[in-house]
Amino acid sequence: MRLMSRSRIPRLYHSTAVLTTDGSILVAGCDRCDKYWWTTPGGISKSPTSFPEYRIEVFRPPSWFNVTAKPQIESLDPETWDPEDKVNVMQYGEQFALTYSMFYATHSVTAAVLVSPGSTTHSTNMNQRVVGLEILVQDMDSRRLVLKGPPTINIAPPGWYMLFLLNGDVYGQSAWVRLPGDAPRMDSFLTPATNTAASTRSS
């Protein structure tokens, strides 16, 4: 780790920093930050609204700009496609195939990881999880990769994840996948919950 440029926008109470699907970091928020006394070298940029901070910043580490080294996911196994949620489903402990592309023919994928979508507030990520996946097959000629799904729900609970491919410390655009189980489905977010207790009494 190394120190980089300092942001002049204070991020304290109710602030968030979350990983996005392209690997950049979305930084936002701060509540009542104007009440604090600041001694930061170079000064700070206080919120134009005095209390809530509505300005958003995007942080990209140096490796993000190494575009020629990025592995790009081209396609995921069509047999894993869930037409209801419109996402590919990765099964626990089973093979998961994909194809990718690289700028240089000699470059290849060195690692694959699942990253859970962040849910951050009060400087804490409530859903922080990175799971390394075993690479079973890598065909550099066809750029075909076969991964092994996480072993159990104790390692990676059911839900939605960003699948990142890495070339050393460089990563490309992720693809959404879902691990099966009691994970919320899209329709549960879009339709009102059924009052099961009332239905039971009426029957």
Side-chain angles (χ1 to χ4, degrees):
M1 299 181 67
R2 60 192 174 96
L3 185 65
M4 302 186 70
S5 299
R6 182 189 300 273
S7 171
R8 296 186 63 244
I9 301 177
R11 305 289 185 183
L12 292 173
Y13 196 58
H14 286 153
S15 63
T16 180
V18 64
L19 180 69
T20 68
T21 54
D22 75 345
S24 57
I25 309 296
L26 189 68
V27 184
C30 193
D31 186 21
R32 291 167 281 179
C33 285
D34 195 62
K35 287 189 174 184
Y36 294 91
W37 179 260
W38 300 98
T39 58
T40 302
I44 62 166
S45 176
K46 290 189 176 184
S47 170
T49 65
S50 294
F51 294 112
E53 178 57 77
Y54 295 115
R55 289 175 294 177
I56 296 175
E57 296 173 290
V58 176
F59 168 72
R60 296 184 176 97
S63 60
W64 191 93
F65 297 94
N66 190 358
V67 294
T68 58
K70 288 185 176 185
Q72 299 294 346
I73 298 174
E74 296 295 336
S75 66
L76 302 179
D77 187 350
E79 294 187 3
T80 66
W81 180 251
D82 179 357
E84 183 176 353
D85 283 345
K86 293 181 172 54
V87 68
N88 291 82
V89 180
M90 179 181 290
Q91 302 292 334
Y92 289 99
E94 295 187 13
Q95 295 185 3
F96 186 85
L98 60 88
T99 61
Y100 69 95
S101 62
M102 300 285 294
F103 185 82
Y104 293 110
T106 55
H107 284 193
S108 63
V109 169
T110 59
V113 297
L114 294 179
V115 183
S116 58
S119 176
T120 58
T121 184
H122 294 76
S123 303
T124 303
N125 189 341
M126 309 296 181
N127 196 34
Q128 182 170 289
R129 188 179 297 266
V130 178
V131 180
L133 299 175
E134 181 181 353
I135 298 177
L136 299 176
V137 177
Q138 176 157 202
D139 187 332
M140 289 187 60
D141 293 330
S142 65
R143 294 300 190 186
R144 182 174 181 268
L145 202 66
V146 178
L147 308 174
K148 185 177 182 180
T152 68
I153 62 174
N154 297 322
I155 300 298
W160 292 64
Y161 290 82
M162 293 177 283
L163 171 61
F164 283 97
L165 302 182
L166 290 85
N167 173 18
D169 62 353
V170 179
Y171 46 88
Q173 173 80 32
S174 68
W176 285 107
V177 298
R178 181 167 60 82
L179 296 179
D182 295 329
R185 301 185 67 89
M186 286 305 297
D187 56 359
S188 64
F189 292 107
L190 301 176
T191 58
T194 303
N195 190 335
T196 55
S199 300
T200 303
R201 286 196 298 269
S202 62
S203 61

